[in-house]
Amino acid sequence: SSRHWGPIYVKLKDRRYVQLFYEKGLEKPFKEFKLEINHEVSEPKLQNYDENGRIHSVRIDRITYKEKKKYQPKPTVSHIAEKEQVIKLGTTNYNDFLSFIRAVQDSLMDLPASSTDLSTVGLNYQEQEITVDVKDEFYGILAKGDNRILQHNVLTRVHVLSFLSGLAECRLGLNDILIKGNEIVLRQDIMPTTTTKWIQLNDCHFHSCVDEEAFASARVIMFNPLDACRFELMRFRSVFSEKTMPFTLRIRASVNGAEVELQSWLVMSPGFSSNRDPLSQVPCENVMIRYPVPHK
């Protein structure tokens, strides 16, 4: 195959335009594209780079959804995603890699809701559907020896993907400690849900489709979702409530001349909440361990 990695310089201009240059310092990019609301950042991957190592890669895709009916084994209606790759980038510098991903995610979230294609609003879907995806990102520094948590940061991202007919107004409630004791259960809620785990929402940041005044007064997230487009509705920070990590990592390294042998063990923590109850255990999947290796 003639495909190979080539060096370029990437710049995010005005938080809206991704510019590609042959090298740093040039005034005119050889390619430029505008970030759109139907763009998504793919999951990061490690790919072969050269005989000495691998490269961190990520794509920006244009995602469109189509409603399709299936008849086998029984008639069903589903919403199928169709991906078109806009660009694929890679770097061996992990910090630059994370910085670029976060910058693009921030820019996509801050795109105005008015940039949506209004020609699709009001479509009558055969199957109406809305999906809310909540993801916690934990960053922490542990003490050497006893694995005490010295510093930590928990960032929660809430994404929404909806296929609703017309301009629908949605309401979303969280286990916000400021509404503890004031929960509202509607009559149509046949099986009202309750929680004993309340959290404090810090540094809340919302998509432009959210009514921030309603949240400030009633702590309810009211929004008109974008049509057939996965977008980040909100993000907030919270305090890590556990005293231990779900697992710890033990490493042993041995050096014999020019050879370095590295061994690692993942040890599950019996004190972590989801590990105590076998009915609520969450499997650890796609675990990636990154070892900072000096160039020389």
Side-chain angles (χ1 to χ4, degrees), residues 55-235:
I55 191 171
H56 300 280
S57 67
V58 69
R59 301 187 322 271
I60 296 179
D61 297 324
R62 180 179 291 107
I63 312 293
T64 56
Y65 292 88
K66 291 186 177 180
E67 190 174 57
K68 295 184 178 180
K69 179 176 287 188
K70 297 181 180 179
Y71 296 94
Q72 296 293 337
K74 61 179 181 179
T76 58
V77 176
S78 59
H79 302 103
I80 307 299
E82 297 182 352
K83 295 183 180 181
E84 177 189 354
Q85 179 177 302
V86 178
I87 194 171
K88 182 178 181 179
L89 300 170
T91 178
T92 56
N93 188 312
Y94 190 65
N95 291 329
D96 288 349
F97 182 68
L98 294 181
S99 176
F100 174 77
I101 291 177
R102 290 166 184 161
V104 174
Q105 289 174 337
D106 292 346
S107 298
L108 290 175
M109 184 179 184
D110 291 336
L111 290 178
S114 58
S115 62
T116 185
D117 184 5
L118 296 178
S119 64
T120 62
V121 175
L123 287 177
N124 291 320
Y125 290 101
Q126 298 183 53
E127 185 75 22
Q128 298 196 73
E129 176 185 6
I130 184 168
T131 303
V132 179
D133 181 25
V134 182
K135 182 179 180 181
D136 292 327
E137 298 178 0
F138 173 87
Y139 304 89
I141 299 178
L142 305 182
K144 185 177 181 180
D146 59 1
N147 292 319
R148 288 181 297 107
I149 301 176
L150 300 179
Q151 298 179 22
H152 78 274
N153 180 22
V154 181
L155 177 65
T156 301
R157 300 175 183 268
V158 181
H159 286 82
V160 171
L161 173 61
S162 69
F163 305 92
L164 303 176
S165 301
L167 289 171
E169 182 181 79
C170 300
R171 298 189 178 196
L172 176 66
L174 300 174
N175 51 331
D176 186 350
I177 195 171
L178 295 183
I179 64 170
K180 184 178 180 180
N182 298 320
E183 305 95 309
I184 299 176
V185 179
L186 303 179
R187 289 187 176 182
Q188 59 265 34
D189 293 336
I190 300 176
M191 297 179 63
T193 58
T194 59
T195 181
T196 57
K197 296 183 179 180
W198 299 92
I199 60 174
Q200 182 171 341
L201 311 183
N202 302 314
D203 303 330
C204 295
H205 183 54
F206 298 97
H207 191 274
S208 60
C209 69
V210 175
D211 186 344
E212 295 195 38
E213 293 184 359
F215 178 78
S217 60
R219 307 298 290 186
V220 175
I221 304 161
M222 299 177 58
F223 62 100
N224 296 104
L226 306 184
D227 180 62
C229 174
R230 187 177 186 272
F231 67 98
E232 188 173 357
L233 178 71
M234 70 173 296
R235 65 176 66 161

Side-chain angles (χ1 to χ4, degrees), residues 273-282:
S273 60
S274 63
N275 294 343
R276 291 195 296 264
D277 185 0
L279 297 179
S280 63
Q281 286 184 351
V282 179

